[in-house]
Amino acid sequence: MEKRVMTDSKRRKGLMAASALLGGVLVLTACSGGGDKASGSGGGDTSQAKADEAAAKKSSEAQITITPKDGSNDASINNSAAVTVSKGTLTSVTMTTADGKAVTGALSADKKTWKPSAQLERSTGYKVAAEAKDAEGRVAHENASFTTVSPANSFIGNFTPEDGSTVGVGMPVSINFDKAITNKAAVQKGITVTSSSGQEVVGHWFNANRIDFRPETYWKENSTVTLKLALDGVQGASGVYGVQQKTVTFHIGRNQVSYVDAQTKQMKVTQDGKTVKTIPISAGSPENKTYQGIMVMSEKFKETRMNGATVGFTDDDGKGEYDIKDVPHAIRLTSSGTFLHGNYWGAKSVFGSVNTSHGCVGLSDTKGANDPNTPAAWMYSHSILGDVVVVKNTGDKTVAPDNGLNGWNLDWAQWKAGSAV
């Protein structure tokens, strides 16, 4: 490659040209050695000082800032993308995905800030081009490219109950993360659960993926609970960051707690402390006892299939001991398969007199789930998710607190011991 010796005057010209291209950022140089003049016929009129002064007059004072910074590869999908300007106003902002799809955005009333109108996509490259003018109408430009955080490097939490729902007094806020959380304290600090009742609410980690929140006693009836997820950018584990920023509210309905006594084979349904109905039941047989303890309704099905093979009840051929494809009025009490449900295949005489089930609590019903006058239909129609069912005198162990939404089986001291903050 040919080598050329650059004179001082040529070097100064190059710097002058570079300063004019920097969008309002001047590079001022101080030269030693006697104040050489630029070559040409201008003499003093084309000195370096006057050239820099002229460049400064032509450069916009508007200073554009694009976030995240150019080249970022783990940008947030919520709040990181923004364009701001000082000493000027934005005149044009375009944002596109790497493949050219336009991203809509909104400019603030004072034309100082621009932000995308919707959440960005994960694992997506974006390009931003911005233009602004200063008070003199001089134009400045800025460009940046970045990539949002990938699913492999982010975590989300699937939560219950749903936003806007009305639930029973036993419904905890339960969050299951799609990645194991090792930095539990940081994640828990990014989650707040409050009640209009003023009850203290505490989080309890069951494992690295699940945290539930509840008060010491059941939620106050007719209160409102608010869940705020401020997990955007929170590091949950090494190289894994949160992306959620969301507020959820749900309403607590009337206080309904039902009491199942496997010994008397009766269920007493109470609302706001008063018994509203007593229903004969058939609980688990002596060979297949029903769990004891406090259980919370987590799902409801007008009809559902129950196959013994899915919960460990199989014959010698490996097939389920039972496989009923249309169990009516089924209400889930545990994730392991305990239900409160209608039973049309058993003799009517068993309800209130004999425990015959494989561990569920059965109520008299009819095939098809269309008779509103059966005990099971009444229970189904008068129950909402989050209602409480307390089971006693079965002879079995207490249900595990993480088997379903059943953390109420831990006392308050045990519950608070599972908090990371």
Side-chain angles (χ1 to χ4, degrees):
M1 178 182 294
E2 181 182 358
K3 297 178 65 176
R4 298 182 181 179
V5 178
M6 184 180 290
T7 65
D8 287 346
S9 62
K10 289 182 178 179
R11 183 178 295 110
R12 284 193 292 270
K13 286 183 179 179
L15 290 172
M16 180 181 70
S19 69
L21 292 173
L22 285 176
V25 180
L26 280 176
V27 179
L28 301 179
T29 60
C31 301
S32 60
D36 292 341
K37 304 292 188 295
S39 60
S41 61
D45 291 340
T46 57
S47 67
Q48 183 63 53
K50 289 190 175 182
D52 288 345
E53 182 181 357
K57 289 180 179 179
K58 293 179 181 179
S59 298
S60 176
E61 291 186 350
Q63 300 290 325
I64 302 171
T65 301
I66 299 176
T67 54
K69 66 181 180 180
D70 188 38
S72 299
N73 59 11
D74 59 354
S76 164
I77 63 175
N78 292 294
N79 294 324
S80 64
V83 180
T84 59
V85 65
S86 61
K87 298 182 180 179
T89 56
L90 292 169
T91 54
S92 174
V93 178
T94 59
M95 183 175 182
T96 60
T97 60
D99 58 5
K101 182 180 178 181
V103 176
T104 59
L107 186 65
S108 61
D110 61 4
K111 298 183 179 181
K112 297 286 188 181
T113 304
W114 181 95
K115 291 184 178 181
S117 300
Q119 187 181 65
L120 304 182
E121 299 292 331
R122 289 193 285 183
S123 292
T124 302
Y126 291 93
K127 297 179 180 180
V128 181
E131 178 185 286
K133 288 183 179 181
D134 65 9
E136 301 297 325
R138 293 171 296 191
V139 178
H141 297 273
E142 194 69 53
N143 296 274
S145 299
F146 62 88
T147 303
T148 50
V149 65
S150 69
N153 295 107
S154 60
F155 69 87
I156 61 171
N158 298 303
F159 57 85
T160 192
E162 295 181 1
D163 187 28
S165 60
T166 296
V167 297
V169 296
M171 177 63 78
V173 172
S174 185
I175 305 172
N176 286 273
F177 297 106
D178 65 346
K179 303 281 196 310
I181 302 300
T182 57
N183 195 359
K184 292 180 178 178
V187 171
Q188 188 172 340
K189 288 176 182 177
I191 306 169
T192 56
V193 181
T194 56
S195 172
S196 62
S197 67
Q199 291 172 277
E200 178 188 10
V201 184
V202 175
H204 179 97
W205 290 90
F206 286 114
N207 51 51
N209 293 81
R210 177 181 172 185
I211 183 173
D212 284 16
F213 290 81
R214 70 166 176 90
E216 181 175 5
T217 57
Y218 301 141
W219 301 106
K220 180 69 174 175
E221 61 270 16
N222 298 316
S223 59
T224 298
V225 180
T226 301
L227 161 67
K228 291 185 179 181
L229 298 172
L231 297 174
D232 187 41
V234 174
Q235 186 171 18
S238 178
V240 179
Y241 297 86
V243 296
Q244 286 171 296
Q245 183 170 289
K246 190 176 183 66
T247 298
V248 173
T249 59
F250 58 95
H251 184 70
I252 306 300
R254 75 286 177 272
N255 182 320
Q256 179 166 303
V257 181
S258 300
Y259 298 89
V260 172
D261 188 334
Q263 191 171 57
T264 64
K265 303 167 187 67
Q266 301 290 322
M267 177 173 66
K268 182 176 68 173
V269 182
T270 70
Q271 289 186 357
D272 301 322
K274 298 178 180 179
T275 300
V276 295
K277 195 171 185 67
T278 299
I279 301 175
I281 59 96
S282 180
S285 68
E287 297 78 24
N288 301 297
K289 300 180 179 70
T290 304
Y291 287 129
Q292 298 191 135
I294 303 169
M295 306 183 206
V296 174
M297 297 180 181
S298 58
E299 288 184 295
K300 291 176 65 182
F301 306 98
K302 185 177 180 181
E303 289 184 285
T304 191
R305 178 186 179 186
M306 291 187 180
N307 185 347
T310 64
V311 289
F313 292 108
T314 57
D315 292 324
D316 293 339
D317 59 4
K319 295 182 179 180
E321 291 183 14
Y322 57 89
D323 186 2
I324 305 169
K325 297 178 174 62
D326 56 354
V327 177
H329 299 122
I331 304 173
R332 182 182 290 276
L333 301 179
T334 71
S335 54
S336 64
T338 307
F339 280 80
L340 181 73
H341 65 78
N343 178 331
Y344 66 80
W345 54 90
K348 302 300 182 186
S349 60
V350 304
F351 302 103
S353 60
V354 184
N355 290 322
T356 59
S357 83
H358 283 78
C360 292
V361 177
L363 289 69
S364 180
D365 209 342
T366 56
K367 186 178 178 66
N370 290 318
D371 184 352
N373 299 312
T374 67
W378 184 95
M379 187 65 189
Y380 186 88
S381 64
H382 286 79
S383 298
I384 59 176
L385 301 186
D387 281 350
V388 178
V389 178
V390 182
V391 182
K392 64 178 183 179
N393 294 329
T394 69
D396 200 17
K397 63 183 179 180
T398 299
V399 64
D402 61 346
N403 186 359
L405 304 175
N406 299 327
W408 300 102
N409 292 286
L410 296 175
D411 64 32
W412 192 230
Q414 292 172 318
W415 185 263
K416 295 178 76 172
S419 173
V421 297

